[in-house]
Amino acid sequence: MLFHKQVPLHRKDPMKTLALALLIPIAFCTACGNREEPMATSAPAPVDAAGDAPASVNAPANPPAPVAAAEPAPLTAHTSLTSVAGRSVQGGLTVVNQGSGVSIRGEITGLAPGKDHGFHLHEVGECTLPNFASAGAHFNPTEAAHGGPESTDRHLGDLPNAKADADGRALIDVNVEGVTFVDKDGAPTEILGKSIVVHALPDDFKTQPSGGSGDRIACGVIR
C-alpha cells in the first residue's frame, strides 16, 4: 500500500511567494501613479504700497489768508449835559479810550450863536444846581498852571473852546493826551467819574486859574 508524503500546511510555495513579492511593489507604484498631483499654490502678488495708497489731495494754489482775531472794543463812556436855569444848553458827548489819551466827541446845542465857550474837564464828578460849583476846579493832577491845549504847561483838563455856529450848535472832536480813561490802580490821571463843564465865555488860555471863561452854564459827569 502506497503512502503519500504529506506536506506540512504551514510550508509555503516558494514560487508563489516570489510572485507575490513582485506584484506588491507594482501595485503600489500603480496606485502612486494614479494619485492626483496637488495643485501648485502660486505666491501672492506683491502689493504696491504706493498704488494702494489714497491719492493725495493737492493744496489750493492760493490758500485763504488766516483771519486775524478781532481786537477788543475800546473802553467808552458817555456824558449828558445839564443846563443851568435860564439857559437851554443840551448835549451828548462820548469819551473813548485811545492809547495814551482819550477822545471826546459829540454835540452841544443852545449856546450863544457864533461864540466860543470855555470847555474843560473838572476834578469832581458832581453837577449840582444852581451853578455847578460842586464840579470843583479844572482837572489838574500834575498841579500845573492853566494854559491852552497846546501849551507845554497846562491843566490836563484844559480843552479847546467849544465853537458855536450861527444856530448855537457846537461839534466837539477833541483828543486829550496824558489822561487815563480808567485805571484799576486808581491812577491820578483817571477821568472816569470826573465832569465836563461848559462856560459862558471863551477861555483865553492864560488867565489864572481858569482862563477867564466866566460862569458854568452846563455840566455832565463822565459815566
Side-chain angles (χ1 to χ4, degrees), residues 131-144:
N131 56 13
F132 305 130
S134 57
H138 291 179
F139 181 58
N140 186 25
T142 60
E143 298 183 353

Side-chain angles (χ1 to χ4, degrees), residues 9-203:
L9 294 175
H10 62 271
R11 183 180 297 175
K12 293 181 180 179
D13 187 345
M15 295 301 294
K16 291 181 179 180
T17 301
L18 178 60
L20 289 173
L22 293 173
L23 289 174
I24 289 173
I26 294 172
F28 182 78
C29 291
T30 302
C32 290
N34 293 333
R35 184 179 300 171
E36 293 182 2
E37 293 293 332
M39 295 181 64
T41 304
S42 60
V47 177
D48 186 355
D52 291 343
S56 61
V57 178
N58 293 329
N62 296 311
V67 179
E71 294 185 0
L75 297 174
T76 303
H78 301 278
T79 300
S80 295
L81 297 177
T82 300
S83 178
V84 295
R87 298 268 188 168
S88 58
V89 181
Q90 295 180 334
L93 303 171
T94 299
V95 183
V96 180
N97 182 57
Q98 290 190 334
S100 60
V102 301
S103 67
I104 303 174
R105 293 180 173 85
E107 178 183 86
I108 304 173
T109 59
L111 300 173
K115 300 295 183 178
D116 289 354
H117 296 265
F119 182 66
H120 309 110
L121 294 171
H122 280 243
E123 62 184 355
V124 181
E126 293 184 13
C127 295
T128 305
L129 292 169
N131 56 13
F132 305 130
S134 57
H138 291 179
F139 181 58
N140 186 25
T142 60
E143 298 183 353
H146 176 68
E150 304 299 329
S151 302
T152 301
D153 195 19
R154 67 178 180 87
H155 303 158
L156 289 183
D158 290 340
L159 306 179
N161 287 319
K163 299 180 180 295
D165 62 15
D167 297 322
R169 174 174 172 262
L171 296 180
I172 305 299
D173 187 353
V174 179
N175 293 322
V176 188
E177 290 294 324
V179 300
T180 306
F181 183 81
V182 60
D183 192 303
K184 64 181 181 180
D185 297 324
T189 55
E190 179 180 324
I191 63 169
L192 191 66
K194 307 303 183 186
S195 59
I196 295 177
V197 175
V198 181
H199 294 260
L201 302 175
D203 187 335

